[in-house]
Amino acid sequence: MQHESPYIYDLFGIPGFHINLSNVMMLTIAAVIVFIIGVVSARSLSMRPTGLQNVFEMVIEFVRNMIGSTMDWKTGERFFGLGITIFLFILVSNMLGIPFMLINHETHVLWWKSPTADPVVTMTLAVMVIVLSHFYGIKIRGVKEYGKNYFRPKKFLFPINILEEFTNTLTLGARLFGNLYAKEILLTLLATVGTTFPIGTALGIIPMVAWQGYSIFIGFIQAFIFLVLTMVYISHKVETEH
């Protein structure tokens, strides 16, 4: 069954200014969950971490190591907050559509899903990363030194270096969208089989559980890849030698 997204068209009377209410809702939920994780983890700090604090410290160390593997830590330290926010936000966003999806069966409007299964969301995140990489490149190295990057290692490679900025943006967003969209399509198909045919529930429960487990793995891997590529792109802009 083909499902639609809940749109508000021409918001504020502006032609072409359409808002996907499902994306707005799910991105807000993801942001709130990440905020709660941070607050709860930092509320009761102790020298001997247990429970959620222990998990959060493992995430902190993981992100720190990922940044350190892409650039010198003296430079990368300033991007730690960005890195952990991106990783947790994308991870939570990837996971939201795994337990269930909320669909209005009368209008076939899909409300609850992973926001990262929408190309508008993933491409927006990708553009944000690329813009930030340029911003920090200019801020840390200066306009002149930053501009020299496009003429390295040879001046005739300038057009290719410019094209690379567009391909980096496209692949960063498309990779995340493609994997999450495929995950949700198969979950939808399995759920449809389970609710359409009487024997479908019995036959579909095992592949549904198996695919949900694999979807968790996909969610972690895609959050990890997005984090690594983000730091790689930033390192290419802020470091002289790479």
Side-chain angles (χ1 to χ4, degrees):
M1 180 67 68
Q2 181 67 35
H3 302 299
E4 299 179 355
S5 298
Y7 276 96
I8 295 180
Y9 295 95
D10 299 334
L11 186 65
F12 304 126
I14 303 175
F17 186 23
H18 311 320
I19 297 294
N20 187 327
L21 294 178
S22 175
N23 284 346
V24 173
M25 180 183 73
M26 298 310 298
L27 289 171
T28 302
I29 291 173
V32 170
I33 291 175
V34 171
F35 177 76
I36 292 174
I37 291 174
V39 171
V40 173
S41 300
R43 177 175 294 177
S44 55
L45 297 177
S46 63
M47 296 301 295
R48 294 182 178 179
T50 58
L52 187 57
Q53 182 188 342
N54 197 19
V55 174
F56 197 68
E57 288 193 5
M58 290 174 61
V59 173
I60 289 174
E61 188 64 23
F62 169 76
V63 174
R64 190 179 188 278
N65 290 336
M66 289 304 99
I67 296 174
S69 68
T70 58
M71 68 186 84
D72 182 79
W73 180 245
K74 290 182 179 180
T75 302
E77 185 176 8
R78 71 186 68 193
F79 304 116
F80 174 74
L82 173 66
I84 196 168
T85 301
I86 285 178
F87 177 74
L88 287 177
F89 182 77
I90 292 180
L91 179 61
V92 171
S93 297
N94 292 349
M95 299 299 175
L96 285 177
I98 292 178
F100 64 92
M101 285 178 285
L102 184 60
I103 302 168
N104 186 321
H105 291 286
E106 294 182 0
T107 60
H108 302 297
V109 172
L110 177 61
W111 283 93
W112 185 283
K113 63 183 180 66
S114 294
T116 42
D118 190 303
V120 174
V121 173
T122 59
M123 291 307 300
T124 300
L125 290 171
V127 170
M128 179 198 73
V129 167
I130 299 301
V131 170
L132 282 175
S133 71
H134 291 297
F135 170 77
Y136 283 111
I138 295 173
K139 181 179 180 180
I140 293 174
R141 301 176 59 194
V143 176
K144 184 177 180 180
E145 186 62 28
Y146 162 81
K148 291 180 180 179
N149 263 2
Y150 292 98
F151 299 94
R152 291 171 176 159
K154 297 294 181 180
K155 292 183 179 181
F156 69 85
L157 292 177
F158 173 75
I160 297 178
N161 289 333
I162 292 294
L163 179 62
E164 186 180 24
E165 299 298 330
F166 294 97
T167 58
N168 286 344
T169 306
L170 180 63
T171 55
L172 185 62
R175 179 186 292 105
L176 180 59
F177 159 69
N179 283 276
L180 270 294
Y181 183 71
K183 177 264 293 182
E184 298 225 336
I185 285 295
L186 189 50
L187 284 177
T188 302
L189 291 175
L190 291 173
T192 301
V193 170
T195 56
T196 302
F197 304 102
I199 197 174
T201 302
L203 295 177
I205 188 169
I206 293 179
M208 171 67 80
V209 172
W211 185 250
Q212 284 182 323
Y214 185 64
S215 296
I216 294 175
F217 173 75
I218 292 175
F220 272 100
I221 290 298
Q222 291 306 311
F224 163 75
I225 292 175
F226 199 96
L227 169 65
V228 171
L229 291 179
T230 296
M231 293 305 154
V232 167
Y233 295 154
I234 290 178
S235 71
H236 286 180
K237 296 295 186 294
V238 302
E239 293 194 322
T240 303
E241 297 180 2
H242 54 271

